[in-house]
Amino acid sequence: EIVQQKEEIMSQRDEIGQQKEEIEAQRDLATKQRDEIGKQKKDMTDSILYAKRIQTALLPRDTIFSAHFKDYFVIYKPKDIVSGDFYWIKKFENNLIIAVGDCTGHGVPGAFMSLLGTAFLTEIVTRREITQTGEVLNELRKEIISSLKQDNQDDTSKDGIDIAICCYDLNSKVIQFSGAYNSLYLIRKDENNNFQLTEFFGDKMPIGIYFGVEQEFTNQDIQIQENDRIYLLTDGFYDQIDNINSQKYMKSTLKAKLVEIQQF
């Protein structure tokens, strides 16, 4: 009986040893997989960070804004390192053409679209010498549809750009505005010296394939007065989620806040 117990103990010891070896092998495999995943993540992040450098380099420098505006600001905070939002400005003769775009998707897909958008805007304005804002958007839509090979099939790419664009005539002080879903906000004082916000709405069509009756983008002319304030924006700010109430900030809240802070 003692011999039998001894053999059982030896067998259990061998079994425990085998289990220990298996656990160590699994631990080593898990460690190796963790290291591989960590390396893959680092490589991917490094690649996206480098893409951010390229995207940032293509955005307008502050000097072109400061040369023509006594006061201005830009809020540009990508959600996923690189951004589907972009802003663009070019001076052509006596005109300043300014655009703010919101491309389909976040992160890398949106960033690819933003590069297409800025490249085509530069081509349309500086090479084709088109400055009428509605016509710029018409041409931009053609280029995006052609580049992405979009058609009216249900399985076609729905990628596109929502954009607000204005052409500011430095001589006449008139802004011509056009938009694809996105708006322009004008804030000026009324006869009672109170700030009032007027929203100029863009057309309810995207820059891209549109499953409806495709129409030309319209132009709206705005005579600028001294001390007027103009805002071009995407939905990125007012779509932010409140951490306390888990609700969006909302467009109406932003408009009220902009009026509230004008005195500052």
Side-chain angles (χ1 to χ4, degrees):
E1 185 176 342
I2 294 175
V3 171
Q4 185 178 358
Q5 290 177 346
K6 184 177 179 181
E7 289 176 350
E8 289 178 356
I9 292 172
M10 293 286 289
S11 176
Q12 291 174 352
R13 187 190 65 184
D14 293 341
E15 186 176 345
I16 291 171
Q18 185 177 356
Q19 290 175 347
K20 181 181 178 182
E21 290 176 359
E22 290 177 357
I23 292 171
E24 289 176 347
Q26 291 174 354
R27 181 199 62 196
D28 293 343
L29 177 61
T31 301
K32 182 180 179 182
Q33 290 174 337
R34 181 201 65 193
D35 293 343
E36 288 178 354
I37 292 171
K39 183 179 183 302
Q40 290 172 354
K41 181 180 179 181
K42 183 179 183 302
D43 290 344
M44 187 179 300
T45 302
D46 288 347
S47 179
I48 297 174
L49 286 171
Y50 193 80
K52 178 185 179 181
R53 289 177 56 190
I54 297 173
Q55 186 180 41
T56 303
L58 294 176
L59 293 172
R61 298 192 178 192
D62 281 353
T63 51
I64 190 167
F65 290 102
S66 60
H68 299 286
F69 302 108
K70 64 181 180 181
D71 193 10
Y72 68 92
F73 72 91
V74 176
I75 295 177
Y76 178 73
K77 297 173 73 65
K79 177 178 179 291
D80 299 311
I81 303 178
V82 289
S83 179
D85 288 0
F86 68 91
Y87 55 100
W88 178 91
I89 182 170
K90 288 289 180 184
K91 185 175 185 297
F92 184 78
E93 296 178 347
N94 289 316
N95 298 311
L96 277 177
I97 300 94
I98 306 168
V100 171
D102 178 3
C103 301
T104 306
H106 297 285
V108 174
F112 273 111
M113 284 293 296
S114 75
L115 297 182
L116 279 179
T118 54
F120 286 140
L121 283 172
T122 301
E123 164 72 20
I124 292 165
V125 172
T126 61
R127 295 191 179 181
R128 302 182 199 173
E129 300 184 357
I130 298 174
T131 58
Q132 188 179 58
T133 54
E135 187 60 24
V136 171
L137 295 192
N138 291 333
E139 292 298 306
L140 181 60
R141 178 170 58 191
K142 291 177 186 176
E143 294 293 351
I144 291 295
I145 291 174
S146 175
S147 297
L148 300 182
K149 299 178 176 59
Q150 295 177 333
D151 55 38
N152 287 316
Q153 301 299 318
D154 289 340
D155 59 350
T156 193
S157 166
K158 306 299 192 301
D159 295 320
I161 304 173
D162 296 343
I163 193 170
I165 183 170
C166 58
C167 178
Y168 179 45
D169 188 316
L170 296 169
N171 292 331
S172 67
K173 308 300 182 184
V174 170
I175 281 182
Q176 185 178 83
F177 164 73
S178 298
Y181 284 119
N182 287 4
S183 299
L184 176 148
Y185 296 167
L186 166 68
I187 297 181
R188 69 167 50 139
K189 287 185 176 181
D190 60 17
E191 61 276 8
N192 297 318
N193 214 32
N194 296 318
F195 289 106
Q196 299 291 334
L197 185 150
T198 302
E199 180 173 2
F200 293 84
F201 295 92
D203 295 306
K204 293 184 177 181
M205 301 182 292
I207 300 298
I209 197 70
Y210 177 58
F211 296 95
V213 179
E214 185 175 290
Q215 299 175 335
E216 301 288 293
F217 285 99
T218 56
N219 304 314
Q220 301 180 62
D221 290 336
I222 308 165
Q223 181 66 58
I224 296 302
Q225 301 176 10
E226 188 176 2
N227 295 320
D228 279 353
R229 293 94 190 267
I230 302 292
Y231 295 85
L232 301 178
L233 65 158
T234 69
D235 60 7
F237 191 95
Y238 58 75
D239 272 356
Q240 293 297 303
I241 302 296
D242 184 337
N243 290 330
I244 298 175
N245 301 314
S246 297
Q247 295 179 342
K248 289 185 178 181
Y249 187 74
M250 302 299 291
K251 185 177 184 179
S252 57
T253 309
L254 175 61
K255 291 165 67 174
K257 178 61 68 174
L258 288 176
V259 173
E260 178 187 327
I261 64 175
Q262 290 305 306
Q263 59 183 307
F264 303 111

